[in-house]
Amino acid sequence: MVLILMLGFTLRIEDLSQWRESPGRAFLQNKPLLTAYDGYYYLNLSRDLLQESYEPIDAKRGVPSGHLRPFPPPLLSVLGTLIAKVTNLSLDWIGVFLPAFLGVLLALPLFFLGRNLGGVGMGLVSALFCLALPEYIYRSGFGWFDTDCLNVTFVLFTAFFFLKFGEVKSLNRYLYLLSAFVSAGLFYWWWDSASAIVIFTTLINFLVVILFFYRPASKIEGLLFSGLLLSIIILAISLIGFKSLIEIRNSIRFLVNFLSIVSNHPMVFPSIASSISELSSPSFSEVVYRTSGSVFVFFAAILGLISIVMVKPRQIFYLIVPGCLGVLGVFYAMRFLIFLVPIVAFGLGALVHSIWKLRKKITAAYLLTPILLIFLFFPSFKINHQTVFWPKEPPSIVSGMIAARLLTPESSIIWTWWDHGYAMRYWADRGVITDGGYISGELAYYNALPLAVDDERLAANFIRFYSVRGKLGMNKLFRAFNGDHATAMRFLKSALAGGPNKVYAAIDSFKLSYSYPIALGDHSEEWKDFLYPGSSKPVYLFLDWRLTQTIDYWFRLGTWDFAKLEGKKPSYDLFLNLKIKENHIKAWKNNRQIVVDRTTGDAKTGARKASISRISISDEKNYSIDRHFQEEGLDVEISTFHQTVALMDRSVSDSVFNRLFHRQQDNSGYFKSVARKFRAWHLWEVMADKP
């Protein structure tokens, strides 16, 4: 077992050598970066604990309202803080190494459950496979400072203790029951973002053991156990009120709401499932690749599971919880595929163990077993060796977050895409409006709107309006229009695009009474105060390269039509390494090349030929239209600063994002350039209209 744990840890830190060979992709200021977006949430809480600044409300998350910090602090953050205090290691290094240490602990419950199902051999083989399968290495590897590294471990430890409680006939069974609830309690503390799932899965395990396994040795024991269980329930309710019952109800609501979140069918606001890779449903090939590494290994695991069902059908009940969560990964959100890892590992362990048991009857089994073991293990080993997991927030973008900390007042708000929310909060230590833990279709719409509109004044005024009024202010606006989101947003855009002096005209054009019943008052002057608040913290807009790669998602969100319940699908293609030679413009994207003819107005990308409307060129200071051929067709935007050529439709070309990021300029006066880095990021100060 020690060798298996050492091998599992080695597989997880293998990427470190690649990181050191290419430090520009993984380190910044000699600090390693995390491979998980959410890792900076936990790392930020660890820093707050370490600095003794852990307050009930984090005023820099979910601006302007702030966001409640969890209490008690998440166990992962507490561990990071304790290690930092004891060892004096930096939190950044703890964040990359701790997941690898904790991730290998999954081998322990795999071994115990495997030994219970088929013996020591099956337990060891199952433990070996679980630590090597691709999906688990990805989510418990170097730099993945998130709860995934112990989520499956707690699920299986809880299942194992419940299993022993049901099987053991002596009074020692109650020690196993106590251990099961301790494990569930630690799991509840650990997976703080999904406590409802923890409660729900614990109840399933408990009901399974009571219905199918637990049989008291005597009536007295049964009565004592029932009385003790009832007393614990009453005591818990008396101590924490009905919170426990509410949590159980919320666990069911959570699962229902989760399934609605991952659905791509919007109600009023757009669904964000398509913009979050973890919430997308994987294809069959992805399921196979992530959980087993190859089709051969996948079906070998199925054969092994069948053998378990045939030999010990009742024990398969204890794989119900990881199995159900794994099914969510198959049909709804791939982040749950990690729970299929122990299922596959048990199947492989059972198959290898079944062949090994034949060695006394079939001598060839002595040779076949190690050969099969190697064949089953090799695909995962190969994938891990060939794959390097780089930080999701690369140094080039994180450098912009550090620049934001150095170049903006401490009270500032940074308007950035929600993917960067946690990292911006950690590296810039500035306020953000949304992040990975405070996001919805509604919030993503607000986040994207100023990037997708074609009016700098509207964009700047909306950023300031939302930075002061927030989601509560938007809700007040919608209530004022009796829930008519389409009309409310048309009014808001009209009022913000016209400036403070045009608020009256906007009211008249929408035939609103000056005594219209909005929450803040009954007169147009108060409408004006509401839309153009007098006090505001400094607000900055952070644009980065990743927005060019995810434009299909955020542009659709930012152009959402509440009447049609759809957004615009942009036409956008970006090419690098600009080359201009006389009347021909060339650039490349991977193995594709774009060639633009400045005389004919044609653009070719491989076999595709596009008709061009206009060609424009921008550098660090100027923007000009180089050629204008026709009104119809796509626009070609050439940036000599970025050394890029972008082929896009007019709606993208006219967007605030394109003007500020590609063209690197704003002539309206509503955005002031603060700092920028080649192709990586651009920081703008938002200069909204004053009341």
Side-chain angles (χ1 to χ4, degrees), residues 594-597 600-605 608-612 636 647:
I594 184 172
V595 179
V596 180
D597 191 323
T600 64
D602 293 328
K604 295 181 180 179
T605 57
R608 178 191 174 195
K609 184 176 180 180
S611 181
I612 302 303
V636 172
L647 188 65

Side-chain angles (χ1 to χ4, degrees), residues 188-209:
Y188 183 88
W189 186 12
W190 177 262
W191 203 4
D192 61 296
S193 62
S195 56
I197 288 183
V198 178
I199 294 174
F200 196 68
T201 55
T202 302
L203 286 175
I204 290 176
N205 272 324
F206 184 68
L207 289 175
V208 166
V209 74

Side-chain angles (χ1 to χ4, degrees), residues 108-411:
L108 299 179
L110 257 292
F111 170 73
F112 293 133
L113 281 168
R115 184 181 63 178
N116 195 77
L117 290 171
V120 173
M122 179 178 168
L124 289 173
V125 175
S126 299
L128 172 66
F129 279 115
C130 80
L131 296 188
L133 293 174
E135 180 69 6
Y136 191 61
I137 283 187
Y138 171 55
R139 292 190 170 274
S140 65
F142 193 70
W144 195 271
F145 194 64
D146 202 346
T147 57
D148 292 319
C149 59
L150 277 185
N151 283 347
V152 186
T153 304
F154 277 122
V155 165
L156 292 186
F157 260 130
T158 303
F160 170 72
F161 289 134
F162 274 125
L163 171 66
K164 299 303 290 184
F165 166 67
E167 288 187 342
V168 173
K169 303 304 179 184
S170 67
L171 293 179
N172 288 335
R173 61 166 53 176
Y174 296 103
L175 293 177
Y176 284 112
L177 179 63
L178 177 62
S179 299
F181 283 116
V182 169
S183 176
L186 289 173
F187 188 24
Y188 183 88
W189 186 12
W190 177 262
W191 203 4
D192 61 296
S193 62
S195 56
I197 288 183
V198 178
I199 294 174
F200 196 68
T201 55
T202 302
L203 286 175
I204 290 176
N205 272 324
F206 184 68
L207 289 175
V208 166
V209 74
I210 293 298
L211 293 175
F212 298 103
F213 292 90
Y214 175 73
R215 297 296 180 268
S218 64
K219 290 184 178 180
I220 295 178
E221 180 184 339
L223 290 173
L224 289 175
F225 173 70
S226 300
L228 178 62
L229 185 63
L230 183 61
S231 300
I232 292 174
I233 294 174
I234 294 174
L235 178 63
I237 294 177
S238 64
L239 289 175
I240 60 176
F242 287 91
K243 184 180 178 181
S244 57
L245 297 179
I246 294 173
E247 287 283 4
I248 295 172
R249 182 200 65 185
N250 287 345
S251 67
I252 299 174
R253 280 188 178 180
F254 177 89
L255 292 176
V256 173
N257 290 338
F258 173 79
L259 297 182
S260 66
I261 288 174
V262 301
S263 169
N264 280 308
H265 302 291
M267 298 298 289
V268 176
F269 289 95
S271 166
I272 59 170
S274 60
S275 65
I276 306 175
S277 59
E278 288 189 344
L279 295 185
S280 60
S281 56
S283 63
F284 176 73
S285 60
E286 284 181 304
V287 173
V288 171
Y289 178 85
R290 286 172 172 267
T291 60
S292 57
S294 76
V295 175
F296 171 72
V297 176
F298 186 78
F299 283 102
I302 292 177
L303 288 176
L305 291 172
I306 292 174
S307 70
I308 294 176
V309 174
M310 293 176 63
V311 176
K312 291 188 174 182
R314 295 181 66 200
Q315 273 69 15
I316 207 72
F317 277 112
Y318 289 94
L319 299 181
I320 283 181
V321 169
C324 290
L325 293 175
V327 167
L328 286 179
V330 173
F331 294 103
Y332 293 101
M334 67 171 64
R335 72 157 299 169
F336 288 98
L337 284 180
I338 190 175
F339 291 98
L340 283 185
V341 167
I343 308 293
V344 173
F346 279 131
L348 297 174
L351 181 64
V352 172
H353 184 64
S354 298
I355 295 176
W356 179 248
K357 287 194 301 182
L358 298 175
R359 66 191 184 280
K360 293 182 179 179
K361 296 180 180 180
I362 304 175
T363 307
Y366 283 100
L367 181 62
L368 289 175
T369 302
I371 291 176
L372 178 62
L373 183 63
I374 293 172
F375 267 94
L376 294 174
F377 187 81
F378 181 73
S380 295
F381 177 80
K382 181 181 178 182
I383 290 172
N384 183 64
H385 185 67
Q386 293 178 342
T387 306
V388 179
F389 299 113
W390 298 102
K392 293 285 178 51
E393 297 283 10
S396 58
I397 292 179
V398 173
S399 67
M401 301 176 184
I402 294 176
R405 186 186 72 230
L406 299 175
L407 299 174
T408 65
E410 189 174 349
S411 62

Side-chain angles (χ1 to χ4, degrees), residues 576-592:
L576 311 180
N577 303 321
L578 169 68
K579 301 292 182 184
I580 300 178
K581 186 175 181 180
E582 296 180 353
N583 289 321
H584 289 85
I585 301 166
K586 297 181 180 180
W588 288 261
K589 180 179 184 180
N590 299 325
N591 295 324
R592 295 170 55 217

